């Protein structure tokens, strides 16, 4: 039987939801999907999303916390982390993309590519290119961490867009082209209520003159990764060169207030 891989991924809530599943759960989901395809006349099963309480109950079933950065663990059963290639003496943003961001790079490249196709400004395209990369360091509050990490090096609108896309992603704006994704119903629970700081930031940004910058990051994000689509960094090099203030000493060596964040990604195997 031929499987529509994209439809299968979307039916489970996207690539991130699948990554969190065990091998046995993936196998059962695939078997159920194949059975459904054999009987197309049957009514489509209603989606069952977990509640926030059910997700909370899963915490003690794992040996890791969901908010840890992807450079620091593997969630595969019995999997081991791999030895990382050393960074150059004066690492650039491109070096980090090539040597430290591979786990997230295709997603953000697809997002930036979509923003470019939609004719977005360079500030927004750059924000789409960078918006989730900090997740290799930490996933919790990644919009805030990401905006802080990139703040010294990117235009103010780009940092603003990275910062507040985290709040806007929890709120629909159908006029702008953004609907709340099923992926979040799986990740946070169907009854999830955003935290007070997210609610406050949404109210502030909704009336801000730069509202559309972070909103366009959510619109051009891909909440179920496009399978089989590989986007290269090359089309964005000129945008990076025009808009990213690369320190001559190298990221992590420039004594900026966020240099330690870049060093942590460059050397994630350091014990202290």
């Amino acid at each position: 039987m031929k499987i529509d891989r994209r439809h299968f991924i979307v039916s489970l809530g996207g690539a991130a939801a699948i990554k969190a599943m065990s091998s046995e759960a993936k196998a059962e989901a695939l078997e159920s999907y194949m059975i459904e395809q054999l009987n197309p006349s049957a009514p489509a099963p209603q989606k069952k999303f977990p509640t926030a309480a059910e997700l909370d109950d899963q915490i003690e079933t794992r040996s890791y916390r969901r908010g840890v950065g992807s450079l620091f663990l593997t969630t595969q059963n019995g999997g081991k982390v791999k030895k990382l290639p050393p960074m150059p003496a004066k690492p650039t943003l491109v070096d980090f993309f090539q040597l430290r961001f591979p786990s997230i790079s295709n997603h953000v490249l697809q997002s930036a590519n979509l923003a470019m196709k939609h004719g977005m400004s360079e500030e927004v395209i750059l924000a789409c290119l960078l918006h989730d990369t900090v997740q290799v360091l930490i996933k919790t509050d990644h919009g805030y961490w990401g905006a802080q990490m990139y703040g010294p090096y990117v235009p103010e609108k780009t940092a603003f867009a990275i910062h507040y896309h985290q709040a806007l992603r929890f709120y629909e704006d159908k006029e702008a082209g953004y609907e709340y994704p099923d992926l979040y119903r799986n990740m946070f629970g169907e009854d999830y209520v955003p935290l007070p700081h997210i609610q406050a930031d949404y109210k502030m940004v909704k009336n801000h003159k730069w509202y559309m910058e972070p909103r366009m990051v959510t619109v051009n994000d891909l909440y179920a990764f496009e399978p089989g689509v590989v986007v290269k960094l090359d089309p964005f090099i000129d945008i990076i060169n025009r808009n990213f203030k690369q320190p001559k000493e190298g990221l992590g060596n420039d004594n900026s207030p966020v240099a330690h964040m870049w060093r942590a990604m460059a050397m994630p195997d350091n014990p202290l």
Side-chain angles (χ1 to χ4, degrees):
M1 176 188 295
K2 186 176 180 180
I3 299 296
D4 185 336
R5 187 168 179 266
R6 179 180 179 183
H7 184 268
F8 174 60
I9 292 172
V10 172
S11 73
L12 295 179
I18 291 177
K19 185 177 180 181
M21 297 169 66
S22 67
S23 298
E24 292 80 6
K26 291 177 187 175
E28 290 179 5
L30 179 59
E31 183 178 356
S32 296
Y33 179 84
M34 293 172 69
I35 291 172
E36 289 169 13
Q37 302 310 301
L38 288 173
N39 187 18
S41 61
Q46 192 171 16
K47 286 184 177 179
K48 172 64 170 71
F49 298 108
T51 65
E54 288 171 341
L55 291 171
D56 190 62
D57 288 342
Q58 294 176 12
I59 291 175
E60 294 187 347
T61 68
R62 296 185 300 267
S63 60
Y64 62 91
R65 300 197 184 276
R66 296 171 76 196
V68 69
S70 57
L71 268 180
F72 296 86
L73 84 166
T74 175
T75 58
Q76 297 176 354
N77 289 337
K80 307 295 182 185
V81 296
K82 297 180 180 179
K83 193 169 185 177
L84 294 168
M87 296 294 290
K90 298 180 180 180
T92 66
L93 178 61
V94 172
D95 291 325
F96 274 91
F97 260 93
Q98 294 173 340
L99 301 175
R100 292 298 181 269
F101 296 167
S103 63
I104 196 70
S105 62
N106 195 44
H107 163 58
V108 295
L109 284 164
Q110 286 188 32
S111 177
N113 189 53
L114 194 59
M116 184 178 283
K117 287 181 178 179
H118 287 162
M120 297 291 104
S121 67
E122 289 197 352
E123 291 97 333
V124 170
I125 294 171
L126 185 61
C128 288
L129 183 67
L130 304 178
H131 75 284
D132 277 351
T133 53
V134 76
Q135 290 193 33
V136 304
L137 178 64
I138 188 167
K139 295 179 181 177
T140 300
D141 263 350
H142 71 280
Y144 301 81
W145 282 83
Q148 184 179 21
M149 187 174 80
Y150 285 112
Y153 312 107
V154 300
E156 190 176 357
K157 280 186 181 180
T158 296
F160 186 90
I162 294 171
H163 188 155
Y164 293 110
H165 90 275
Q166 180 178 337
L168 296 193
R169 67 192 175 138
F170 290 108
Y171 298 91
E172 286 193 341
D173 185 342
K174 292 184 179 180
E175 289 186 4
Y178 179 74
E179 295 187 13
Y180 190 79
D182 284 349
L183 173 62
Y184 288 170
R185 294 184 176 94
N186 274 312
M187 289 179 67
F188 297 96
E190 62 179 350
D191 55 347
Y192 179 73
V193 176
L195 295 169
H197 72 285
I198 296 292
Q199 297 178 41
D201 280 351
Y202 170 70
K203 291 177 182 177
M204 182 277 290
V205 178
K206 190 71 174 68
N207 298 306
H208 197 280
K209 64 180 180 180
W210 288 349
Y211 167 73
M212 291 307 295
E213 274 71 22
R215 174 52 75 198
M216 286 301 104
V217 174
T218 68
V219 169
N220 290 286
D221 208 340
L222 297 168
Y223 292 95
F225 295 8
E226 292 289 337
V229 176
V230 178
V231 180
K232 301 294 185 181
L233 185 62
D234 296 355
F236 306 102
I237 296 297
D238 287 343
I239 291 177
I240 291 172
N241 290 340
R242 284 192 293 269
N243 295 279
F244 190 86
K245 300 174 184 176
Q246 173 65 41
K248 64 181 186 300
E249 304 92 342
L251 291 165
N253 302 328
D254 56 336
N255 201 32
S256 79
V258 297
H260 61 286
M261 299 172 73
W262 294 94
R263 290 195 298 268
M265 294 186 294
M267 303 178 292
D269 287 300
N270 276 15
L272 293 173

